[in-house]
């Protein structure tokens, strides 16, 4: 019998990419290749005719995009569909149109040459940006450029394909993704693009599994090949063996099995079978995720990663823009609470500095950057305060490692409150302020830190990284990134106990909360509040309903006496077995 590693991880027919939209599919491939556009750069004799052709192509392109926009509005949330509205607006940009028309007149060259040259200039500028968001938007503009050129050449583009296929392509524009999805596409695979590419965002909105950034899928996979796409882990298996198909079919059946009966948990509180309630809140990464949060049955938002706004917008939004974003979100979540985390910039996240740090994870990150850039920090604090007037907003500081950082932040919050009061702008005077515990120094000093704030939230993603000295994103040391390490378990226990001594609430919002295998241990350690990915919440509720708090406490007491990760893991697995809970880790 071959191991999982031999069947799958080490398989020769495996292509690795980025997990962009969750789910597993097995189906045949439609290799979506676009004809390379040939640009005619010849001279023209009739300027009026060329300008009229250009205007006609603009009208046609606008009509096409409006149609796509209408389909998008039907299929997905308005904020997502707005991508296409933005594209229509570019087609209306008077400066761009005027530049193109003036150049047609002065250079007397084919409009398609001038359109290509003019729009490519914008794209080059965007591609030079350090931000992945701007690079992705340059790709979207490619779609507009090609659309106008295609309409100038009076050619049609194929967007109807046989139903039920997996589309494999070099890249996909948002419009391709929307149009192809009408043919019941089973999955998307692209050579280019990251998780913030619109094709990825749209796939998630439409619930179509996707793997992006594979580099070589289109050269390795042929039209009609059978492939397995694992959008949970970012893998593709090309023409899978019988063994691989059986393995994935089992995974699929397991997934379907796990989804059965979940609905009944949606509107119920998360409660152990001896009546101990756990507050399950949702982590929000992308502003548009709020619908998913509401439908998941979450009790509020335990972590809103505001730095993602910078990824989405490519720049710092001003105070009004931020106020609008935070107010909209908090009113959708009302009467439940939302914890807005201050921009956690630096490290592996949004790049802020224009120089390379030798060790970014230990450099200017989170609160350290904010305290050095008070204008940015105060702008965000004021926007959060303005959004707090209904009293369901809390504010959280990331990457805190000293009490001084908390005190300086609180001084700035007070300054902002004074300024708002002076301007007679309403806000919640008692808005709660908390900190993330992500750094070992903060964990050790949890009681003293807790006394300075209203709540603590344990960020295990970073806490494990700094405690174990393992880069959370480095494959070479991933076996040392152990959430069940005794050091991690004892540290969490210490933080919870110290927060209790200070009389402050404590939650956990790292990925560990979403690892369903960790839930009984965390509950036993005394965590009454967890914040996790909304899609995991119903699974977590079901697991919590299957054990008692008393037994979970016994489990955690046992685990606190262990000296290896393996011992702890075995104890947890045994707990799942004797309580007859389906053994799940990260759902699948
Ligand atoms: C964490 O570190 O656990 C956390 C929730 O923050 P992030 O993953 O955004 O760094
Ligand atoms: Mg963190």
């Amino acid at each position: 019998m071959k191991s999982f590693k031999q069947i799958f991880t080490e398989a020769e027919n495996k292509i690795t990419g980025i997990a962009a939209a969750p789910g597993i599919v097995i189906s045949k491939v439609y290799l979506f290749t676009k004809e390379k556009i040939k640009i005619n750069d010849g001279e023209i004799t009739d300027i009026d005719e060329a300008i009229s052709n250009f205007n006609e192509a603009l009208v046609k392109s606008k009509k096409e995009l409006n149609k796509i926009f209408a389909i998008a509005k039907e299929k997905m949330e308005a904020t997502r569909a707005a991508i296409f509205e933005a594209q229509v607006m570019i087609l209306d940009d008077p400066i761009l149109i005027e530049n193109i028309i003036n150049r047609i007149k002065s250079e007397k060259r084919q409009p398609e040459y001038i359109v290509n040259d003019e729009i490519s200039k914008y794209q080059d500028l965007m591609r030079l940006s350090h931000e992945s968001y701007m690079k992705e938007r340059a790709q979207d503009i490619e779609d507009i450029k090609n659309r106008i050129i295609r309409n100038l050449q009076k050619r049609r583009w194929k967007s109807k394909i046989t139903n039920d296929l997996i589309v494999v392509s070099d890249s996909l524009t948002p419009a391709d993704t929307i149009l192809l999805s009408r043919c019941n596409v089973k999955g998307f695979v692209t050579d280019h693009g990251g998780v913030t590419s619109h094709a990825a965002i749209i796939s998630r909105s439409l619930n179509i599994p996707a793997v992006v950034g594979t580099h070589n899928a289109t050269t390795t996979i042929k039209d009609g090949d059978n492939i397995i796409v694992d959008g949970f882990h970012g893998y593709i298996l090309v023409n899978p063996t019988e063994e691989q198909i059986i393995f994935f079919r089992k995974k699929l059946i397991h997934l379907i099995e796990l989804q059965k009966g979940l609905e009944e948990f949606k509107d119920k509180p998360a409660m152990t079978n001896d009546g101990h309630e756990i507050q399950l809140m949702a982590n929000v990464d992308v502003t548009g995720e709020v619908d998913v949060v509401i439908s998941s049955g979450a009790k509020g938002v335990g972590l809103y990663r505001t730095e993602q706004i910078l990824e989405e917008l490519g720049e710092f939004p001003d105070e009004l823009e931020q106020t609008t974003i935070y107010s909209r979100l908090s009113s959708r979540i009302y009467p439940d609470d939302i914890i807005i985390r201050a921009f956690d910039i630096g490290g592996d996240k949004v790049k802020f500095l224009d120089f390379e740090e030798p060790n970014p994870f230990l450099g200017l990150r989170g609160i350290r950057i904010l305290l050095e850039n008070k204008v940015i920090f105060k702008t965000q604090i004021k926007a959060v305060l303005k959004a707090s007037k209904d009293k369901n907003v809390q504010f959280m500081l990331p990457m805190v490692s000293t009490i001084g950082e908390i005190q300086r932040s609180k001084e700035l919050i007070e300054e902002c409150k004074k300024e708002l009061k002076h301007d007679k702008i309403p806000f919640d005077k008692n808005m709660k302020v908390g900190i993330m515990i992500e750094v070992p120094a903060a964990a050790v000093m949890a009681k003293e830190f807790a006394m300075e704030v209203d709540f603590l939230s344990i960020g295990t993603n970073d806490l494990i990284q700094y405690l174990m000295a393992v880069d959370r994103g480095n494959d070479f040391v991933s076996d040392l990134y152990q959430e069940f390490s005794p050091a991690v378990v004892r540290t969490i226990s210490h933080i919870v106990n110290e927060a209790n001594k200070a009389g402050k609430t404590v939650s956990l919002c790292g990925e560990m909360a979403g690892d369903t295998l960790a839930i009984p241990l965390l509950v036993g350690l005394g965590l009454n509040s967890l914040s996790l990915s909304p899609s995991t919440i119903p699974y977590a509720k079901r697991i919590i309903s299957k054990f008692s708090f008393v037994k979970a406490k016994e489990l955690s007491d046992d685990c606190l006496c262990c000296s290896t990760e393996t011992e702890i893991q075995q104890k947890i697995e045994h707990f799942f077995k004797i309580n007859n809970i389906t053994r799940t880790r990260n759902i699948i």
Side-chain angles (χ1 to χ4, degrees):
M1 176 87 173
K2 283 189 188 164
S3 68
F4 167 75
K5 220 171 163 187
Q6 285 163 327
I7 296 176
F8 181 56
T9 321
E10 289 171 356
E12 279 176 6
N13 58 344
K14 190 180 93 174
I15 298 176
T16 309
I18 301 165
I24 293 174
V25 273
I26 308 178
S27 194
K28 290 236 177 294
V29 166
Y30 174 75
L31 199 60
F32 185 67
T33 43
K34 288 190 199 164
E35 237 180 279
K36 267 246 169 300
I37 296 185
K38 285 200 196 82
I39 312 272
N40 177 359
D41 68 348
E43 284 190 14
I44 49 162
T45 44
D46 189 338
I47 293 177
D48 289 342
E49 189 190 2
I51 293 174
S52 142
N53 283 346
F54 170 62
N55 283 329
E56 222 175 85
L58 276 185
V59 172
K60 180 102 197 334
S61 303
K62 226 184 285 177
K63 212 165 139 195
E64 286 174 0
L65 271 173
N66 275 324
K67 189 171 152 203
I68 295 166
F69 181 40
I71 302 171
K73 275 196 292 192
E74 251 173 51
K75 289 196 160 228
M76 53 212 268
E77 208 207 317
T79 46
R80 292 268 176 273
I83 300 165
F84 300 104
E85 198 177 19
Q87 292 198 352
V88 178
M89 277 160 70
I90 295 176
L91 287 176
D92 278 330
D93 180 356
I95 299 175
L96 179 71
I97 297 172
E98 200 182 306
N99 276 349
I100 293 174
I101 293 182
N102 285 342
R103 283 188 59 186
I104 296 176
K105 285 182 188 162
S106 62
E107 295 174 30
K108 299 191 181 59
R109 290 178 94 164
Q110 288 290 346
E112 61 192 72
Y113 169 81
I114 297 185
V115 166
N116 183 46
D117 192 56
E118 200 57 32
I119 300 186
S120 298
K121 274 198 245 162
Y122 284 90
Q123 287 179 289
D124 290 343
L125 281 178
M126 292 170 102
R127 287 195 181 108
L128 281 177
S129 161
H130 289 303
E131 303 294 342
S132 58
Y133 178 85
M134 286 303 266
K135 289 193 174 125
E136 296 290 359
R137 295 305 72 87
Q139 191 58 36
D140 295 349
I141 291 184
E142 180 82 16
D143 184 36
I144 303 174
K145 181 176 81 182
N146 291 342
R147 190 175 294 284
I148 305 173
I149 296 173
R150 178 171 49 79
N151 282 322
L152 275 165
Q153 298 176 345
K154 304 205 177 353
R155 285 188 301 119
R156 280 183 62 77
W157 219 317
K158 182 175 175 180
S159 65
K160 272 239 165 7
I161 60 168
T162 319
N163 276 8
D164 302 328
L165 297 177
I166 296 172
V167 172
V168 177
S169 178
D170 178 58
S171 63
L172 285 169
T173 65
D176 295 332
T177 322
I178 275 287
L179 288 174
L180 290 166
S181 73
R182 287 185 308 170
C183 308
N184 201 25
V185 165
K186 291 279 175 233
F188 287 113
V189 175
T190 63
D191 282 347
H192 299 293
V195 272
T196 56
S197 63
H198 274 139
I201 295 172
I202 292 173
S203 305
R204 286 196 290 275
S205 292
L206 300 177
N207 261 329
I208 300 176
V211 175
V212 300
T214 57
H215 301 295
N216 61 350
T218 52
T219 48
T220 318
I221 302 173
K222 290 189 288 307
D223 203 41
D225 274 350
N226 199 27
I227 63 169
I228 295 174
V229 175
D230 181 342
F232 288 106
H233 302 100
Y235 297 126
I236 296 132
L237 293 175
V238 187
N239 294 322
T241 61
E242 202 46 40
E243 239 171 347
Q244 288 171 330
I245 292 178
I246 293 170
F247 178 80
F248 268 88
R249 289 239 158 92
K250 274 194 196 146
K251 257 188 149 193
L252 257 179
I253 293 168
H254 182 54
L255 186 63
I256 293 163
E257 223 18 71
L258 281 172
Q259 283 164 345
K260 272 191 206 152
L262 273 185
E263 268 298 300
E264 65 168 290
F265 289 94
K266 200 186 136 254
D267 300 318
K268 289 186 185 162
M271 187 92 77
T272 59
N273 61 20
D274 55 352
H276 184 83
E277 187 173 344
I278 307 295
Q279 183 183 27
L280 293 185
M281 303 178 90
N283 287 354
V284 172
D285 290 334
V286 189
T287 5
E289 262 178 354
V290 67
D291 285 335
V292 187
V293 171
I294 291 164
S295 65
S296 72
K299 195 94 192 69
V301 171
L303 168 65
Y304 173 35
R305 290 182 164 100
T306 56
E307 61 278 5
Q308 287 300 328
I309 306 172
L310 311 181
E311 283 278 10
E312 284 182 47
L313 299 180
E315 59 183 9
F316 280 98
D318 63 22
E319 192 179 311
L320 178 64
E321 285 170 306
Q322 287 189 57
T323 308
T324 310
I325 296 173
Y326 306 149
S327 303
R328 207 176 278 159
L329 212 57
S330 58
S331 62
R332 291 285 311 275
I333 298 300
Y334 188 84
D336 289 329
D337 287 338
I338 170 167
I339 300 180
I340 300 179
R341 182 174 74 179
F343 296 130
D344 186 9
I345 334 169
D348 60 337
K349 304 200 183 175
V350 184
K351 219 170 128 48
F352 175 73
L353 305 166
D354 44 16
F355 57 88
E356 294 294 331
E357 286 182 287
N359 201 338
F361 274 118
L362 303 181
L364 271 178
R365 241 199 99 170
I367 196 68
R368 301 172 188 179
I369 286 194
L370 296 173
L371 288 170
E372 298 244 327
N373 294 277
K374 294 202 176 61
V375 176
I376 290 177
F377 196 16
K378 280 185 71 179
T379 305
Q380 184 173 36
I381 296 171
K382 281 191 181 172
V384 172
L385 280 167
K386 284 182 180 174
S388 73
K389 57 180 191 316
D390 291 331
K391 303 193 172 32
N392 69 328
V393 170
Q394 305 182 14
F395 190 48
M396 181 157 72
L397 312 172
M399 279 294 293
V400 171
S401 47
T402 68
I403 285 197
E405 288 165 342
I406 307 176
Q407 290 168 339
R408 276 152 60 213
S409 304
K410 281 184 2 191
E411 277 164 24
L412 288 178
I413 296 171
E414 282 314 308
E415 245 176 74
C416 291
K417 283 185 178 175
K418 260 195 207 132
E419 287 168 23
L420 291 182
K421 209 165 153 192
H422 176 265
D423 295 338
K424 301 200 170 34
I425 297 171
F427 62 90
D428 176 9
K429 289 198 297 294
N430 302 314
M431 180 183 77
K432 287 190 175 146
V433 176
I435 52 167
M436 300 270 306
I437 303 284
E438 301 172 284
V439 178
V444 172
M445 299 291 290
K447 188 172 92 200
E448 288 77 4
F449 281 27
M451 281 173 355
E452 291 287 331
V453 290
D454 298 303
F455 64 92
L456 305 182
S457 186
I458 308 174
T460 44
N461 304 344
D462 278 311
L463 185 59
I464 298 172
Q465 151 166 281
Y466 294 122
L467 206 54
M468 304 296 289
V470 268
D471 178 342
R472 62 195 254 191
N474 182 342
D475 260 11
F476 294 114
V477 284
S478 57
D479 58 334
L480 282 171
Y481 190 91
Q482 301 169 353
E483 59 186 29
F484 295 129
S485 150
V488 171
V489 176
R490 289 183 200 188
T491 304
I492 296 174
S493 170
H494 171 78
I495 301 167
V496 175
N497 294 340
E498 296 294 289
N500 288 341
K501 280 185 207 160
K504 300 293 163 69
T505 51
V506 55
S507 175
L508 189 146
C509 65
E511 288 306 305
M512 189 173 180
D515 177 353
T516 42
L517 200 60
I519 287 175
L521 171 67
L522 298 177
V523 169
L525 287 172
L527 280 154
N528 295 331
S529 165
L530 301 171
S531 188
L532 52 161
S533 133
S535 58
T536 314
I537 287 179
Y539 296 93
K541 282 189 181 175
R542 181 165 60 192
I543 288 177
I544 292 170
S545 74
K546 299 235 161 94
F547 60 83
S548 68
F549 177 62
V550 175
K551 291 280 176 222
K553 175 88 177 62
E554 277 171 23
L555 167 73
S556 68
D557 286 348
D558 271 358
C559 292
L560 285 168
C561 298
C562 294
S563 41
T564 66
E565 183 208 24
T566 315
E567 274 177 84
I568 294 180
Q569 202 157 322
Q570 280 167 355
K571 284 197 187 303
I572 297 174
E573 280 168 12
H574 181 67
F575 182 88
F576 269 71
K577 208 164 166 187
I578 55 170
N579 285 287
N580 207 10
I581 314 173
T582 321
R583 185 203 176 286
T584 49
R585 186 161 194 183
N586 288 330
I587 301 179
I588 189 131

